[in-house]
PDB file of all heavy atoms in Angstrom:
ATOM      1  N   LEU A   1      88.545  90.700  95.512  1.00 93.00           N
ATOM      2  CA  LEU A   1      88.850  91.099  94.184  1.00 93.00           C
ATOM      3  C   LEU A   1      90.032  92.098  94.166  1.00 93.00           C
ATOM      4  O   LEU A   1      90.081  92.996  94.973  1.00 93.00           O
ATOM      5  CB  LEU A   1      87.655  91.855  93.519  1.00 93.00           C
ATOM      6  CG  LEU A   1      86.305  91.106  93.642  1.00 93.00           C
ATOM      7  CD1 LEU A   1      85.224  92.051  93.092  1.00 93.00           C
ATOM      8  CD2 LEU A   1      86.380  89.862  92.739  1.00 93.00           C
ATOM      9  N   VAL A   2      91.057  91.899  93.306  1.00 95.00           N
ATOM     10  CA  VAL A   2      92.139  92.765  93.166  1.00 95.00           C
ATOM     11  C   VAL A   2      92.471  93.124  91.790  1.00 95.00           C
ATOM     12  O   VAL A   2      92.739  92.295  90.912  1.00 95.00           O
ATOM     13  CB  VAL A   2      93.492  92.074  93.821  1.00 95.00           C
ATOM     14  CG1 VAL A   2      94.637  92.956  93.666  1.00 95.00           C
ATOM     15  CG2 VAL A   2      93.233  91.626  95.225  1.00 95.00           C
ATOM     16  N   GLU A   3      92.346  94.483  91.574  1.00 96.00           N
ATOM     17  CA  GLU A   3      92.572  94.988  90.140  1.00 96.00           C
ATOM     18  C   GLU A   3      94.038  95.253  89.951  1.00 96.00           C
ATOM     19  O   GLU A   3      94.737  95.554  90.791  1.00 96.00           O
ATOM     20  CB  GLU A   3      91.707  96.304  89.929  1.00 96.00           C
ATOM     21  CG  GLU A   3      90.253  96.125  90.147  1.00 96.00           C
ATOM     22  CD  GLU A   3      89.753  96.626  91.512  1.00 96.00           C
ATOM     23  OE1 GLU A   3      90.636  96.521  92.405  1.00 96.00           O
ATOM     24  OE2 GLU A   3      88.692  97.032  91.617  1.00 96.00           O
ATOM     25  N   SER A   4      94.320  95.240  88.607  1.00 97.00           N
ATOM     26  CA  SER A   4      95.697  95.647  88.221  1.00 97.00           C
ATOM     27  C   SER A   4      95.681  95.921  86.741  1.00 97.00           C
ATOM     28  O   SER A   4      94.747  95.667  86.065  1.00 97.00           O
ATOM     29  CB  SER A   4      96.751  94.380  88.430  1.00 97.00           C
ATOM     30  OG  SER A   4      96.396  93.327  87.739  1.00 97.00           O
ATOM     31  N   GLY A   5      96.779  96.544  86.269  1.00 97.00           N
ATOM     32  CA  GLY A   5      96.899  96.834  84.828  1.00 97.00           C
ATOM     33  C   GLY A   5      96.663  98.297  84.467  1.00 97.00           C
ATOM     34  O   GLY A   5      96.849  98.648  83.263  1.00 97.00           O
ATOM     35  N   GLY A   6      96.354  99.088  85.476  1.00 98.00           N
ATOM     36  CA  GLY A   6      96.201 100.554  85.169  1.00 98.00           C
ATOM     37  C   GLY A   6      97.456 101.196  84.816  1.00 98.00           C
ATOM     38  O   GLY A   6      98.609 100.622  85.146  1.00 98.00           O
ATOM     39  N   GLY A   7      97.387 102.412  84.388  1.00 98.00           N
ATOM     40  CA  GLY A   7      98.583 103.210  84.076  1.00 98.00           C
ATOM     41  C   GLY A   7      98.278 104.463  83.329  1.00 98.00           C
ATOM     42  O   GLY A   7      97.150 104.826  83.234  1.00 98.00           O
ATOM     43  N   MET A   8      99.328 105.012  82.770  1.00 98.00           N
ATOM     44  CA  MET A   8      99.140 106.293  81.978  1.00 98.00           C
ATOM     45  C   MET A   8      99.454 106.009  80.509  1.00 98.00           C
ATOM     46  O   MET A   8     100.389 105.443  80.165  1.00 98.00           O
ATOM     47  CB  MET A   8     100.041 107.332  82.478  1.00 98.00           C
ATOM     48  CG  MET A   8      99.899 108.745  81.807  1.00 98.00           C
ATOM     49  SD  MET A   8     101.070 109.957  82.464  1.00 98.00           S
ATOM     50  CE  MET A   8     100.341 110.141  84.150  1.00 98.00           C
ATOM     51  N   VAL A   9      98.465 106.339  79.663  1.00 98.00           N
ATOM     52  CA  VAL A   9      98.634 106.170  78.207  1.00 98.00           C
ATOM     53  C   VAL A   9      98.198 107.428  77.483  1.00 98.00           C
ATOM     54  O   VAL A   9      97.490 108.224  78.027  1.00 98.00           O
ATOM     55  CB  VAL A   9      97.815 105.017  77.734  1.00 98.00           C
ATOM     56  CG1 VAL A   9      98.312 103.669  78.369  1.00 98.00           C
ATOM     57  CG2 VAL A   9      96.324 105.207  77.946  1.00 98.00           C
ATOM     58  N   GLN A  10      98.669 107.551  76.249  1.00 98.00           N
ATOM     59  CA  GLN A  10      98.243 108.638  75.398  1.00 98.00           C
ATOM     60  C   GLN A  10      96.907 108.383  74.749  1.00 98.00           C
ATOM     61  O   GLN A  10      96.463 107.226  74.567  1.00 98.00           O
ATOM     62  CB  GLN A  10      99.303 108.932  74.309  1.00 98.00           C
ATOM     63  CG  GLN A  10      99.165 110.285  73.524  1.00 98.00           C
ATOM     64  CD  GLN A  10     100.296 110.564  72.695  1.00 98.00           C
ATOM     65  OE1 GLN A  10     101.482 110.234  73.133  1.00 98.00           O
ATOM     66  NE2 GLN A  10     100.160 111.217  71.555  1.00 98.00           N
ATOM     67  N   ALA A  11      96.130 109.456  74.463  1.00 98.00           N
ATOM     68  CA  ALA A  11      94.843 109.306  73.815  1.00 98.00           C
ATOM     69  C   ALA A  11      94.967 108.413  72.562  1.00 98.00           C
ATOM     70  O   ALA A  11      95.887 108.561  71.741  1.00 98.00           O
ATOM     71  CB  ALA A  11      94.229 110.578  73.374  1.00 98.00           C
ATOM     72  N   GLY A  12      93.986 107.448  72.328  1.00 98.00           N
ATOM     73  CA  GLY A  12      94.067 106.485  71.259  1.00 98.00           C
ATOM     74  C   GLY A  12      94.708 105.230  71.606  1.00 98.00           C
ATOM     75  O   GLY A  12      94.660 104.244  70.762  1.00 98.00           O
ATOM     76  N   GLY A  13      95.407 105.149  72.825  1.00 98.00           N
ATOM     77  CA  GLY A  13      96.175 103.887  73.159  1.00 98.00           C
ATOM     78  C   GLY A  13      95.180 102.845  73.761  1.00 98.00           C
ATOM     79  O   GLY A  13      93.949 103.097  73.827  1.00 98.00           O
ATOM     80  N   SER A  14      95.858 101.860  74.259  1.00 98.00           N
ATOM     81  CA  SER A  14      95.018 100.667  74.794  1.00 98.00           C
ATOM     82  C   SER A  14      95.632 100.238  76.158  1.00 98.00           C
ATOM     83  O   SER A  14      96.780 100.427  76.450  1.00 98.00           O
ATOM     84  CB  SER A  14      94.948  99.507  73.843  1.00 98.00           C
ATOM     85  OG  SER A  14      94.351  99.819  72.663  1.00 98.00           O
ATOM     86  N   LEU A  15      94.767  99.717  76.976  1.00 98.00           N
ATOM     87  CA  LEU A  15      95.161  99.079  78.288  1.00 98.00           C
ATOM     88  C   LEU A  15      94.262  97.898  78.489  1.00 98.00           C
ATOM     89  O   LEU A  15      93.093  97.832  78.022  1.00 98.00           O
ATOM     90  CB  LEU A  15      94.966 100.025  79.470  1.00 98.00           C
ATOM     91  CG  LEU A  15      96.045 101.108  79.573  1.00 98.00           C
ATOM     92  CD1 LEU A  15      95.626 102.134  80.819  1.00 98.00           C
ATOM     93  CD2 LEU A  15      97.432 100.550  80.019  1.00 98.00           C
ATOM     94  N   ARG A  16      94.731  96.858  79.235  1.00 98.00           N
ATOM     95  CA  ARG A  16      93.939  95.775  79.579  1.00 98.00           C
ATOM     96  C   ARG A  16      93.987  95.658  81.137  1.00 98.00           C
ATOM     97  O   ARG A  16      95.014  95.416  81.704  1.00 98.00           O
ATOM     98  CB  ARG A  16      94.317  94.426  78.951  1.00 98.00           C
ATOM     99  CG  ARG A  16      93.323  93.277  79.285  1.00 98.00           C
ATOM    100  CD  ARG A  16      93.724  92.068  78.598  1.00 98.00           C
ATOM    101  NE  ARG A  16      94.772  91.238  79.228  1.00 98.00           N
ATOM    102  CZ  ARG A  16      94.917  89.934  79.095  1.00 98.00           C
ATOM    103  NH1 ARG A  16      94.075  89.216  78.228  1.00 98.00           N
ATOM    104  NH2 ARG A  16      95.862  89.329  79.650  1.00 98.00           N
ATOM    105  N   LEU A  17      92.867  95.839  81.793  1.00 98.00           N
ATOM    106  CA  LEU A  17      92.793  95.660  83.214  1.00 98.00           C
ATOM    107  C   LEU A  17      92.435  94.260  83.626  1.00 98.00           C
ATOM    108  O   LEU A  17      91.787  93.575  82.901  1.00 98.00           O
ATOM    109  CB  LEU A  17      91.736  96.591  83.784  1.00 98.00           C
ATOM    110  CG  LEU A  17      91.809  98.103  83.466  1.00 98.00           C
ATOM    111  CD1 LEU A  17      90.750  98.890  84.099  1.00 98.00           C
ATOM    112  CD2 LEU A  17      93.211  98.670  83.802  1.00 98.00           C
ATOM    113  N   SER A  18      93.047  93.835  84.756  1.00 98.00           N
ATOM    114  CA  SER A  18      92.768  92.512  85.172  1.00 98.00           C
ATOM    115  C   SER A  18      92.212  92.572  86.607  1.00 98.00           C
ATOM    116  O   SER A  18      92.441  93.537  87.406  1.00 98.00           O
ATOM    117  CB  SER A  18      93.996  91.650  85.318  1.00 98.00           C
ATOM    118  OG  SER A  18      94.555  91.505  84.043  1.00 98.00           O
ATOM    119  N   CYS A  19      91.307  91.541  86.868  1.00 95.00           N
ATOM    120  CA  CYS A  19      90.703  91.523  88.242  1.00 95.00           C
ATOM    121  C   CYS A  19      90.797  90.092  88.734  1.00 95.00           C
ATOM    122  O   CYS A  19      90.140  89.212  88.255  1.00 95.00           O
ATOM    123  CB  CYS A  19      89.252  91.968  88.256  1.00 95.00           C
ATOM    124  SG  CYS A  19      88.380  91.758  89.809  1.00 95.00           S
ATOM    125  N   ALA A  20      91.811  89.896  89.704  1.00 92.00           N
ATOM    126  CA  ALA A  20      91.946  88.518  90.191  1.00 92.00           C
ATOM    127  C   ALA A  20      90.988  88.261  91.283  1.00 92.00           C
ATOM    128  O   ALA A  20      90.873  89.085  92.236  1.00 92.00           O
ATOM    129  CB  ALA A  20      93.435  88.404  90.704  1.00 92.00           C
ATOM    130  N   ALA A  21      90.262  87.241  91.162  1.00 87.00           N
ATOM    131  CA  ALA A  21      89.197  86.855  92.109  1.00 87.00           C
ATOM    132  C   ALA A  21      89.516  85.538  92.913  1.00 87.00           C
ATOM    133  O   ALA A  21      90.117  84.684  92.424  1.00 87.00           O
ATOM    134  CB  ALA A  21      87.903  86.649  91.314  1.00 87.00           C
ATOM    135  N   SER A  22      89.063  85.590  94.119  1.00 85.00           N
ATOM    136  CA  SER A  22      89.189  84.455  94.997  1.00 85.00           C
ATOM    137  C   SER A  22      87.844  84.208  95.643  1.00 85.00           C
ATOM    138  O   SER A  22      86.958  85.128  95.726  1.00 85.00           O
ATOM    139  CB  SER A  22      90.308  84.572  96.043  1.00 85.00           C
ATOM    140  OG  SER A  22      89.987  85.692  96.874  1.00 85.00           O
ATOM    141  N   GLY A  23      87.640  83.032  96.242  1.00 76.00           N
ATOM    142  CA  GLY A  23      86.449  82.696  96.948  1.00 76.00           C
ATOM    143  C   GLY A  23      85.323  82.283  95.883  1.00 76.00           C
ATOM    144  O   GLY A  23      85.644  81.562  94.952  1.00 76.00           O
ATOM    145  N   ARG A  24      84.173  82.855  96.081  1.00 62.00           N
ATOM    146  CA  ARG A  24      83.063  82.430  95.273  1.00 62.00           C
ATOM    147  C   ARG A  24      82.709  83.370  94.154  1.00 62.00           C
ATOM    148  O   ARG A  24      81.587  83.423  93.583  1.00 62.00           O
ATOM    149  CB  ARG A  24      81.718  82.293  96.161  1.00 62.00           C
ATOM    150  CG  ARG A  24      81.896  81.295  97.266  1.00 62.00           C
ATOM    151  CD  ARG A  24      80.763  81.374  98.213  1.00 62.00           C
ATOM    152  NE  ARG A  24      79.439  81.250  97.622  1.00 62.00           N
ATOM    153  CZ  ARG A  24      78.643  82.237  97.522  1.00 62.00           C
ATOM    154  NH1 ARG A  24      78.901  83.456  97.905  1.00 62.00           N
ATOM    155  NH2 ARG A  24      77.502  82.066  96.896  1.00 62.00           N
ATOM    156  N   SER A  25      83.639  84.223  93.734  1.00 53.00           N
ATOM    157  CA  SER A  25      83.471  85.354  92.762  1.00 53.00           C
ATOM    158  C   SER A  25      82.776  84.772  91.511  1.00 53.00           C
ATOM    159  O   SER A  25      81.948  85.416  90.947  1.00 53.00           O
ATOM    160  CB  SER A  25      84.690  86.090  92.483  1.00 53.00           C
ATOM    161  OG  SER A  25      85.696  85.251  91.983  1.00 53.00           O
ATOM    162  N   PHE A  26      83.267  83.678  90.931  1.00 55.00           N
ATOM    163  CA  PHE A  26      82.797  83.227  89.647  1.00 55.00           C
ATOM    164  C   PHE A  26      81.580  82.339  89.781  1.00 55.00           C
ATOM    165  O   PHE A  26      81.087  81.793  88.795  1.00 55.00           O
ATOM    166  CB  PHE A  26      83.863  82.482  88.905  1.00 55.00           C
ATOM    167  CG  PHE A  26      84.954  83.368  88.306  1.00 55.00           C
ATOM    168  CD1 PHE A  26      86.099  83.665  88.877  1.00 55.00           C
ATOM    169  CD2 PHE A  26      84.645  84.009  87.089  1.00 55.00           C
ATOM    170  CE1 PHE A  26      87.037  84.481  88.353  1.00 55.00           C
ATOM    171  CE2 PHE A  26      85.483  84.885  86.502  1.00 55.00           C
ATOM    172  CZ  PHE A  26      86.750  85.188  87.144  1.00 55.00           C
ATOM    173  N   ASP A  27      81.074  82.190  90.968  1.00 63.00           N
ATOM    174  CA  ASP A  27      79.727  81.602  91.313  1.00 63.00           C
ATOM    175  C   ASP A  27      78.671  82.673  91.419  1.00 63.00           C
ATOM    176  O   ASP A  27      77.508  82.344  91.718  1.00 63.00           O
ATOM    177  CB  ASP A  27      79.720  80.703  92.482  1.00 63.00           C
ATOM    178  CG  ASP A  27      80.612  79.420  92.294  1.00 63.00           C
ATOM    179  OD1 ASP A  27      80.703  78.958  91.115  1.00 63.00           O
ATOM    180  OD2 ASP A  27      81.177  78.909  93.281  1.00 63.00           O
ATOM    181  N   SER A  28      79.065  83.887  91.401  1.00 68.00           N
ATOM    182  CA  SER A  28      78.225  85.070  91.617  1.00 68.00           C
ATOM    183  C   SER A  28      77.332  85.255  90.360  1.00 68.00           C
ATOM    184  O   SER A  28      77.508  84.745  89.294  1.00 68.00           O
ATOM    185  CB  SER A  28      78.934  86.367  91.921  1.00 68.00           C
ATOM    186  OG  SER A  28      79.735  86.691  90.769  1.00 68.00           O
ATOM    187  N   TYR A  29      76.242  86.022  90.640  1.00 79.00           N
ATOM    188  CA  TYR A  29      75.254  86.413  89.575  1.00 79.00           C
ATOM    189  C   TYR A  29      75.946  87.149  88.442  1.00 79.00           C
ATOM    190  O   TYR A  29      75.682  86.927  87.234  1.00 79.00           O
ATOM    191  CB  TYR A  29      74.121  87.144  90.225  1.00 79.00           C
ATOM    192  CG  TYR A  29      73.215  87.872  89.193  1.00 79.00           C
ATOM    193  CD1 TYR A  29      72.403  87.201  88.349  1.00 79.00           C
ATOM    194  CD2 TYR A  29      73.230  89.292  89.096  1.00 79.00           C
ATOM    195  CE1 TYR A  29      71.653  87.819  87.398  1.00 79.00           C
ATOM    196  CE2 TYR A  29      72.483  89.949  88.184  1.00 79.00           C
ATOM    197  CZ  TYR A  29      71.669  89.255  87.303  1.00 79.00           C
ATOM    198  OH  TYR A  29      70.830  89.823  86.406  1.00 79.00           O
ATOM    199  N   ALA A  30      76.799  88.199  88.818  1.00 88.00           N
ATOM    200  CA  ALA A  30      77.371  89.053  87.794  1.00 88.00           C
ATOM    201  C   ALA A  30      78.716  89.632  88.219  1.00 88.00           C
ATOM    202  O   ALA A  30      78.979  89.631  89.492  1.00 88.00           O
ATOM    203  CB  ALA A  30      76.412  90.214  87.481  1.00 88.00           C
ATOM    204  N   MET A  31      79.529  89.988  87.255  1.00 91.00           N
ATOM    205  CA  MET A  31      80.709  90.663  87.535  1.00 91.00           C
ATOM    206  C   MET A  31      80.687  91.950  86.691  1.00 91.00           C
ATOM    207  O   MET A  31      80.085  92.009  85.594  1.00 91.00           O
ATOM    208  CB  MET A  31      81.995  89.865  87.078  1.00 91.00           C
ATOM    209  CG  MET A  31      82.203  88.511  87.839  1.00 91.00           C
ATOM    210  SD  MET A  31      82.622  88.782  89.587  1.00 91.00           S
ATOM    211  CE  MET A  31      84.272  89.421  89.354  1.00 91.00           C
ATOM    212  N   ALA A  32      81.373  93.047  87.225  1.00 95.00           N
ATOM    213  CA  ALA A  32      81.171  94.390  86.576  1.00 95.00           C
ATOM    214  C   ALA A  32      82.404  95.168  86.760  1.00 95.00           C
ATOM    215  O   ALA A  32      83.310  94.983  87.590  1.00 95.00           O
ATOM    216  CB  ALA A  32      79.991  95.101  87.137  1.00 95.00           C
ATOM    217  N   TRP A  33      82.592  96.167  85.837  1.00 98.00           N
ATOM    218  CA  TRP A  33      83.508  97.225  85.978  1.00 98.00           C
ATOM    219  C   TRP A  33      82.854  98.604  86.090  1.00 98.00           C
ATOM    220  O   TRP A  33      82.020  98.877  85.322  1.00 98.00           O
ATOM    221  CB  TRP A  33      84.500  97.267  84.794  1.00 98.00           C
ATOM    222  CG  TRP A  33      85.460  96.158  84.707  1.00 98.00           C
ATOM    223  CD1 TRP A  33      85.257  95.032  83.965  1.00 98.00           C
ATOM    224  CD2 TRP A  33      86.737  96.015  85.381  1.00 98.00           C
ATOM    225  NE1 TRP A  33      86.417  94.161  84.104  1.00 98.00           N
ATOM    226  CE2 TRP A  33      87.228  94.796  84.953  1.00 98.00           C
ATOM    227  CE3 TRP A  33      87.399  96.827  86.140  1.00 98.00           C
ATOM    228  CZ2 TRP A  33      88.452  94.295  85.355  1.00 98.00           C
ATOM    229  CZ3 TRP A  33      88.672  96.410  86.587  1.00 98.00           C
ATOM    230  CH2 TRP A  33      89.196  95.171  86.219  1.00 98.00           C
ATOM    231  N   PHE A  34      83.241  99.373  87.203  1.00 98.00           N
ATOM    232  CA  PHE A  34      82.779 100.717  87.369  1.00 98.00           C
ATOM    233  C   PHE A  34      84.003 101.578  87.284  1.00 98.00           C
ATOM    234  O   PHE A  34      85.156 101.208  87.450  1.00 98.00           O
ATOM    235  CB  PHE A  34      82.019 100.816  88.680  1.00 98.00           C
ATOM    236  CG  PHE A  34      80.623 100.282  88.666  1.00 98.00           C
ATOM    237  CD1 PHE A  34      80.456  98.946  88.677  1.00 98.00           C
ATOM    238  CD2 PHE A  34      79.511 101.082  88.620  1.00 98.00           C
ATOM    239  CE1 PHE A  34      79.139  98.328  88.730  1.00 98.00           C
ATOM    240  CE2 PHE A  34      78.224 100.592  88.574  1.00 98.00           C
ATOM    241  CZ  PHE A  34      77.980  99.234  88.652  1.00 98.00           C
ATOM    242  N   ARG A  35      83.808 102.877  87.172  1.00 98.00           N
ATOM    243  CA  ARG A  35      84.946 103.831  87.291  1.00 98.00           C
ATOM    244  C   ARG A  35      84.460 105.085  87.946  1.00 98.00           C
ATOM    245  O   ARG A  35      83.313 105.455  88.054  1.00 98.00           O
ATOM    246  CB  ARG A  35      85.452 104.149  85.896  1.00 98.00           C
ATOM    247  CG  ARG A  35      84.479 104.992  84.999  1.00 98.00           C
ATOM    248  CD  ARG A  35      85.066 105.080  83.620  1.00 98.00           C
ATOM    249  NE  ARG A  35      84.096 105.965  82.735  1.00 98.00           N
ATOM    250  CZ  ARG A  35      84.400 106.031  81.432  1.00 98.00           C
ATOM    251  NH1 ARG A  35      85.430 105.467  80.848  1.00 98.00           N
ATOM    252  NH2 ARG A  35      83.454 106.737  80.709  1.00 98.00           N
ATOM    253  N   GLN A  36      85.387 105.771  88.563  1.00 98.00           N
ATOM    254  CA  GLN A  36      85.132 107.003  89.470  1.00 98.00           C
ATOM    255  C   GLN A  36      86.196 108.041  89.125  1.00 98.00           C
ATOM    256  O   GLN A  36      87.437 107.772  89.492  1.00 98.00           O
ATOM    257  CB  GLN A  36      84.936 106.722  90.836  1.00 98.00           C
ATOM    258  CG  GLN A  36      84.476 107.868  91.681  1.00 98.00           C
ATOM    259  CD  GLN A  36      84.095 107.454  93.023  1.00 98.00           C
ATOM    260  OE1 GLN A  36      84.437 106.388  93.602  1.00 98.00           O
ATOM    261  NE2 GLN A  36      83.227 108.201  93.669  1.00 98.00           N
ATOM    262  N   ALA A  37      85.817 109.173  88.627  1.00 97.00           N
ATOM    263  CA  ALA A  37      86.720 110.296  88.422  1.00 97.00           C
ATOM    264  C   ALA A  37      86.710 111.113  89.649  1.00 97.00           C
ATOM    265  O   ALA A  37      85.724 111.195  90.356  1.00 97.00           O
ATOM    266  CB  ALA A  37      86.462 111.151  87.210  1.00 97.00           C
ATOM    267  N   PRO A  38      87.752 111.947  89.933  1.00 93.00           N
ATOM    268  CA  PRO A  38      87.743 112.812  91.182  1.00 93.00           C
ATOM    269  C   PRO A  38      86.560 113.728  91.145  1.00 93.00           C
ATOM    270  O   PRO A  38      86.302 114.424  90.150  1.00 93.00           O
ATOM    271  CB  PRO A  38      89.096 113.530  91.040  1.00 93.00           C
ATOM    272  CG  PRO A  38      89.976 112.634  90.248  1.00 93.00           C
ATOM    273  CD  PRO A  38      89.148 111.965  89.252  1.00 93.00           C
ATOM    274  N   GLY A  39      85.945 113.834  92.259  1.00 94.00           N
ATOM    275  CA  GLY A  39      84.722 114.747  92.356  1.00 94.00           C
ATOM    276  C   GLY A  39      83.440 114.237  91.764  1.00 94.00           C
ATOM    277  O   GLY A  39      82.447 115.007  91.778  1.00 94.00           O
ATOM    278  N   LYS A  40      83.436 113.105  91.207  1.00 96.00           N
ATOM    279  CA  LYS A  40      82.256 112.549  90.479  1.00 96.00           C
ATOM    280  C   LYS A  40      81.849 111.171  91.193  1.00 96.00           C
ATOM    281  O   LYS A  40      82.588 110.558  91.868  1.00 96.00           O
ATOM    282  CB  LYS A  40      82.602 112.288  89.052  1.00 96.00           C
ATOM    283  CG  LYS A  40      82.884 113.472  88.231  1.00 96.00           C
ATOM    284  CD  LYS A  40      83.072 113.159  86.728  1.00 96.00           C
ATOM    285  CE  LYS A  40      81.845 112.778  86.119  1.00 96.00           C
ATOM    286  NZ  LYS A  40      81.938 112.499  84.657  1.00 96.00           N
ATOM    287  N   GLU A  41      80.616 110.872  90.980  1.00 96.00           N
ATOM    288  CA  GLU A  41      80.138 109.562  91.517  1.00 96.00           C
ATOM    289  C   GLU A  41      80.567 108.425  90.624  1.00 96.00           C
ATOM    290  O   GLU A  41      80.993 108.576  89.454  1.00 96.00           O
ATOM    291  CB  GLU A  41      78.561 109.586  91.513  1.00 96.00           C
ATOM    292  CG  GLU A  41      78.003 110.665  92.485  1.00 96.00           C
ATOM    293  CD  GLU A  41      76.468 110.481  92.578  1.00 96.00           C
ATOM    294  OE1 GLU A  41      75.863 109.708  91.814  1.00 96.00           O
ATOM    295  OE2 GLU A  41      75.880 111.250  93.412  1.00 96.00           O
ATOM    296  N   ARG A  42      80.612 107.333  91.297  1.00 97.00           N
ATOM    297  CA  ARG A  42      80.980 106.080  90.591  1.00 97.00           C
ATOM    298  C   ARG A  42      80.021 105.684  89.508  1.00 97.00           C
ATOM    299  O   ARG A  42      78.798 105.678  89.742  1.00 97.00           O
ATOM    300  CB  ARG A  42      81.130 104.961  91.549  1.00 97.00           C
ATOM    301  CG  ARG A  42      81.865 103.681  91.116  1.00 97.00           C
ATOM    302  CD  ARG A  42      82.275 102.731  92.203  1.00 97.00           C
ATOM    303  NE  ARG A  42      83.079 103.389  93.177  1.00 97.00           N
ATOM    304  CZ  ARG A  42      83.650 102.734  94.285  1.00 97.00           C
ATOM    305  NH1 ARG A  42      83.448 101.440  94.333  1.00 97.00           N
ATOM    306  NH2 ARG A  42      84.452 103.446  95.072  1.00 97.00           N
ATOM    307  N   GLU A  43      80.497 105.405  88.275  1.00 97.00           N
ATOM    308  CA  GLU A  43      79.617 105.153  87.176  1.00 97.00           C
ATOM    309  C   GLU A  43      79.888 103.748  86.597  1.00 97.00           C
ATOM    310  O   GLU A  43      80.922 103.223  86.559  1.00 97.00           O
ATOM    311  CB  GLU A  43      79.801 106.223  86.137  1.00 97.00           C
ATOM    312  CG  GLU A  43      81.096 106.229  85.333  1.00 97.00           C
ATOM    313  CD  GLU A  43      81.082 107.284  84.275  1.00 97.00           C
ATOM    314  OE1 GLU A  43      80.036 107.787  83.953  1.00 97.00           O
ATOM    315  OE2 GLU A  43      82.174 107.505  83.728  1.00 97.00           O
ATOM    316  N   PHE A  44      78.792 103.224  85.986  1.00 98.00           N
ATOM    317  CA  PHE A  44      78.804 101.957  85.324  1.00 98.00           C
ATOM    318  C   PHE A  44      79.620 102.049  84.081  1.00 98.00           C
ATOM    319  O   PHE A  44      79.580 102.919  83.296  1.00 98.00           O
ATOM    320  CB  PHE A  44      77.368 101.585  85.070  1.00 98.00           C
ATOM    321  CG  PHE A  44      77.204 100.268  84.186  1.00 98.00           C
ATOM    322  CD1 PHE A  44      77.389  98.996  84.764  1.00 98.00           C
ATOM    323  CD2 PHE A  44      76.961 100.387  82.846  1.00 98.00           C
ATOM    324  CE1 PHE A  44      77.315  97.869  83.929  1.00 98.00           C
ATOM    325  CE2 PHE A  44      76.805  99.296  82.055  1.00 98.00           C
ATOM    326  CZ  PHE A  44      77.009  97.946  82.595  1.00 98.00           C
ATOM    327  N   VAL A  45      80.358 100.925  83.932  1.00 98.00           N
ATOM    328  CA  VAL A  45      81.168 100.840  82.615  1.00 98.00           C
ATOM    329  C   VAL A  45      80.668  99.565  81.820  1.00 98.00           C
ATOM    330  O   VAL A  45      80.228  99.784  80.675  1.00 98.00           O
ATOM    331  CB  VAL A  45      82.704 100.687  82.917  1.00 98.00           C
ATOM    332  CG1 VAL A  45      83.443 100.415  81.565  1.00 98.00           C
ATOM    333  CG2 VAL A  45      83.241 101.909  83.594  1.00 98.00           C
TER     334      VAL A  45
END
């Protein structure tokens, strides 16, 4: 899995992240997005 599309935006703006998958990724049970801020645990999105 390879993510892309991140960047810096002003509050109220929009972004679209992409995750390019290879192998059996789309045969998997589930796909998800998580996020992690500095000093914090990874959280479900």
Side-chain angles (χ1 to χ4, degrees):
L1 307 172
V2 180
E3 303 96 333
S4 63
M8 182 177 295
V9 298
Q10 192 168 326
S14 298
L15 284 173
R16 189 174 80 158
L17 306 184
S18 299
C19 176
S22 62
R24 299 171 56 252
S25 60
F26 284 98
D27 293 329
S28 64
Y29 164 70
M31 301 288 291
W33 290 94
F34 286 74
R35 66 187 183 187
Q36 186 168 22
K40 300 183 64 177
E41 295 186 353
R42 194 166 300 185
E43 67 175 353
F44 171 79
V45 177

